[in-house]
Amino acid sequence: MKRIALFLLTNIAIMLVLTVILQLFGVTSLLAANGVNLDIPSLLIFAAVFGMGGSLISLAMSKFMAKRMTGAQVIEQPSNAMESWLVSTVTRQARQAGIGMPEVAIYDSPDMNAFATGMSRNSALVAVSTGLLRQMSQDEAEAVIGHEVSHIANGDMVTLSLIQGVVNTFVFFFAHVIGHIVDRMVLRNERGHGIGYFVTVIFAEMVLGVLASMIVFWFSRRREFAADAGGAHLAGRAKMIGALRRLQAGSIATELPDQMQALGISGKKALGIKRYFMTHPPLEERIAALEGAKAQRA
């Protein structure tokens, strides 16, 4: 549940920062006409600016942050056969997928994993763990790389950021509406916004944030099936199935930072209600989807 905790803490921090900013610039006066009525259009505009703005800024910084968090080292000039193979494989698959050449990096981790990120199809990063290069065959690693290149070609990072921005917008908007209603109807505060308003907004942010995050995680799970299909197209269906089976057999918990779980090839397992907060579908479901597609084509 670390990811949920980080999500909640992030929302609280954002809420506090935005509240201070709105207060300093006198913007909150626009949200309550004469301290009684809520200015819905103004609130919606501010919610959209902060919700979408924060998400797009995160997207713009995604490559830089990914390198810092994982310690990924971009291959400027291959220094051995493995690095040469990795760069040539990404080059070939990027050309097949019709995208610009991504930066290629390796990060030190025993975990069999890889991730792709970046602001656009033509300015992306593909990073592979040392654990994956050591424990997978070249065919399996080729399929994983194809999976990540497909994420870039499908525009998944941009789409995920836009969905997160829309979700943030509505969480911000409805949290303030709920806070205003509680302040006026329950606490009977007739002018301005009291402490009850701000406490209610923060609490509503947490609750609505958890519920809304299910939408983001649902999209994250769906995009994995499409990326698997893309990996199968670029590297071969048998190789993609083999890579997923290798991940399944390895059963090593991912060591990517929690903020980057959705970017990796494999996520953490979860049961019960935690399934709704999974960034990746279970590996057996992904394998079954590829095998089902193979059977249909046959």
Side-chain angles (χ1 to χ4, degrees):
M1 302 294 283
K2 287 182 182 178
R3 187 166 57 252
I4 301 173
L6 284 171
F7 182 84
L8 297 179
L9 292 173
T10 300
N11 269 297
I12 292 174
I14 291 173
M15 186 64 246
L16 292 175
V17 171
L18 294 182
T19 298
V20 171
I21 292 174
L22 295 178
Q23 288 284 2
L24 289 176
F25 287 92
V27 177
T28 49
S29 61
L30 297 176
L31 305 182
N34 298 320
V36 177
N37 299 317
L38 190 66
D39 190 338
I40 296 297
S42 295
L43 176 59
L44 189 56
I45 290 172
F46 285 120
V49 169
F50 286 118
M52 296 300 299
S55 184
L56 293 177
I57 290 173
S58 296
L59 177 63
M61 296 178 63
S62 60
K63 281 203 300 183
F64 172 77
M65 293 304 297
K67 293 173 189 176
R68 291 293 300 271
M69 287 190 289
T70 63
Q73 298 296 313
V74 175
I75 302 173
E76 303 291 351
Q77 185 68 37
S79 60
N80 54 52
M82 177 58 73
E83 291 185 359
S84 296
W85 174 85
L86 182 59
V87 171
S88 64
T89 300
V90 174
T91 302
R92 172 172 51 80
Q93 292 187 349
R95 189 180 302 114
Q96 285 180 258
I99 63 174
M101 178 61 187
E103 290 183 275
V104 183
I106 297 176
Y107 65 98
D108 187 26
S109 172
D111 175 30
M112 287 188 292
N113 218 325
F115 66 85
T117 190
M119 193 169 184
S120 72
R121 288 160 46 96
N122 297 318
S123 179
L125 167 73
V126 173
V128 180
S129 72
T130 53
L132 183 143
L133 295 174
R134 284 195 298 262
Q135 300 176 61
M136 281 192 169
S137 67
Q138 282 197 348
D139 283 350
E140 293 165 345
E142 179 187 355
V144 171
I145 295 168
H147 173 101
E148 301 305 333
V149 168
S150 295
H151 273 313
I152 300 170
N154 295 339
D156 286 336
M157 287 80 72
V158 175
T159 306
L160 187 63
S161 294
L162 291 176
I163 291 174
Q164 184 67 65
V166 171
V167 166
N168 289 344
T169 296
F170 282 98
V171 168
F172 185 93
F173 176 80
F174 285 112
H176 280 74
V177 170
I178 293 170
H180 183 86
I181 292 173
V182 170
D183 195 54
R184 293 293 184 269
M185 300 182 66
V186 178
L187 302 178
R188 304 295 182 180
N189 191 15
E190 296 183 359
R191 292 192 62 82
H193 284 143
I195 187 65
Y197 167 80
F198 297 105
V199 172
T200 302
V201 166
I202 292 174
F203 180 76
E205 279 267 325
M206 292 192 297
V207 175
L208 295 176
V210 170
L211 296 176
S213 67
M214 294 183 188
I215 299 173
V216 180
F217 294 140
W218 175 84
F219 173 77
S220 178
R221 292 193 296 272
R222 298 310 304 171
R223 77 200 241 292
E224 289 304 314
F225 289 111
D228 285 341
H233 173 72
L234 292 174
R237 194 171 303 277
K239 293 180 182 180
M240 191 70 245
I241 292 174
L244 295 177
R245 289 195 184 282
R246 183 71 187 89
L247 289 170
Q248 192 177 40
S251 64
I252 301 175
T254 176
E255 292 188 0
L256 280 175
D258 288 286
Q259 303 95 316
M260 296 177 57
Q261 292 296 331
L263 305 179
I265 179 69
S266 177
K268 296 179 180 179
K269 294 182 179 179
L271 299 174
I273 194 171
K274 291 183 180 180
R275 284 178 58 91
Y276 293 104
F277 299 95
M278 293 172 60
T279 57
H280 293 64
L283 286 166
E284 56 267 24
E285 292 182 14
R286 295 166 64 182
I287 293 170
L290 286 173
E291 290 179 333
K294 181 180 179 180
Q296 289 178 1
R297 292 186 64 180

